[in-house]
Amino acid sequence: MKGKVTVITGVSNGIGRAIALNLRNHGCKVVGISRSQPDIELDLWVCADITIGADRERIRTEVEKCFGRVDLLVNNAGKGLYATWEELDEAELRSLFELNFFAVAALTREFLPLLKNSQGTIANISSVAGKIWIPCMGAYCASKSSVSMFSNSLRLELKKYSVKVLEVCPGQINTGFSSRSMGMRKPPDSPGRSAGPEALAEAFYRAWKRGKSALVYPGWMNWAVATVRGVFPWFYNHYSLKVWNLED
Ligand SMILES: NC(=O)c1ccc[n+]([C@@H]2O[C@H](COP(=O)([O-])OP(=O)(O)OC[C@H]3O[C@@H](n4cnc5c(N)ncnc54)[C@H](OP(=O)(O)O)[C@@H]3O)[C@@H](O)[C@H]2O)c1
């Protein structure tokens, strides 16, 4: 994968930062996008807000000018929202979808011609929360479910161009994500259950290298999601009401 040109959104913190560092260690050229300056070395950093159309166009023209190609686009930048549907603020709901979904779809469309030329890969960072309903996180779940549906339908549409689409669904990753989230609620404590972003970044690299179409991380969450959805939804619902303080 040495010399491959990769573009990653949200490199100033957390998962995006870890993926950028890891890809660079594996010899890739890394273009990072964020609004604040990252504290890591990159081949190119573009200061941009991906929810703004003109910024997305500028990202693509700068990448084209500097490298002339793109082999991997990682749509990672995103944020959370903790509130019940009744509590949540309409403006926050719209801004959540603007970043988590509309910017992802628009940036992908911006890079499609380059990705078709290189027969490259689009990696969308969705979430396990896009596969399962979580009370007080319903808006976030819906935004990530949209990312997953976008990824899985796009994969079929791009097959004839040999462009691959990788849907990445992390579980809880230790990045401080919830402290930067919108909404009036805070998630319940779940000590010791977070994985580090570095291990996810290496799993991501391996999934990309092998041309996989999906990565759930940590892997045991695949089993947990299937169990909750298929076998024990009543147990999960009961447990959720308790941990989110929603009991009568
Ligand atoms: N952490 C978790 O437990 C977890 C679990 C599952 C899925 N995820 C998903 O993984 C992704 C990364 O999460 P994280 O925990 O690493 O989040 P994070 O630590 O809060 O980092 C978010 C990154 O996105 C960038 N960003 C935010 N708004 C942006 C905008 N408008 N334009 C450009 N960049 C923007 C931020 O940079 P600036 O503020 O400098 O722009 C930052 O670099 C998100 O999509 C999240 O939903 C996270």
Side-chain angles (χ1 to χ4, degrees), residues 11 25 27-28 37 69 104 108-109 122 133 177 179 189 203 235:
V11 288
N25 287 342
C28 299
Q37 182 145 21
R69 64 179 286 126
V104 170
T108 301
R109 284 155 52 88
I122 298 155
W133 57 94
F177 173 77
S179 66
D189 284 338
F235 173 76

Side-chain angles (χ1 to χ4, degrees), residues 150-243:
F150 169 61
S151 309
N152 293 320
S153 53
L154 183 69
R155 182 178 308 113
L156 299 182
E157 294 170 7
L158 296 180
K159 194 171 186 309
K160 64 178 172 194
Y161 304 108
S162 301
V163 175
K164 289 171 279 305
V165 179
L166 169 59
E167 176 207 17
V168 181
C169 293
Q172 205 174 319
I173 308 294
N174 193 3
T175 65
F177 173 77
S178 52
S179 66
R180 287 181 288 284
S181 294
M182 299 181 291
M184 59 197 291
R185 298 216 176 210
K186 288 282 159 243
D189 284 338
S190 45
R193 296 227 320 262
S194 299
E198 297 78 14
L200 166 60
E202 181 55 22
F204 170 82
Y205 174 73
R206 287 199 303 266
W208 172 44
K209 199 171 151 187
R210 289 175 192 163
K212 287 197 161 192
S213 56
L215 169 68
V216 174
Y217 184 89
W220 64 263
M221 286 229 159
N222 258 320
W223 169 86
V225 167
T227 306
V228 165
R229 288 178 69 122
V231 193
F232 293 126
W234 55 269
F235 173 76
Y236 171 77
N237 288 344
H238 179 74
Y239 168 80
S240 296
L241 289 173
K242 208 177 172 66
V243 294

Side-chain angles (χ1 to χ4, degrees), residues 10-16 33-36 48-51 76-79 99 125-127 140 144 170-173 175 177 180:
V11 288
S12 62
N13 202 64
I15 294 170
I33 318 296
S34 52
R35 294 165 304 175
S36 52
D49 181 337
I50 60 162
T51 63
N76 163 75
K79 63 183 164 189
L99 178 63
I125 311 296
S126 179
S127 173
Y140 179 72
K144 289 300 184 179
Q172 205 174 319
I173 308 294
T175 65
F177 173 77
R180 287 181 288 284

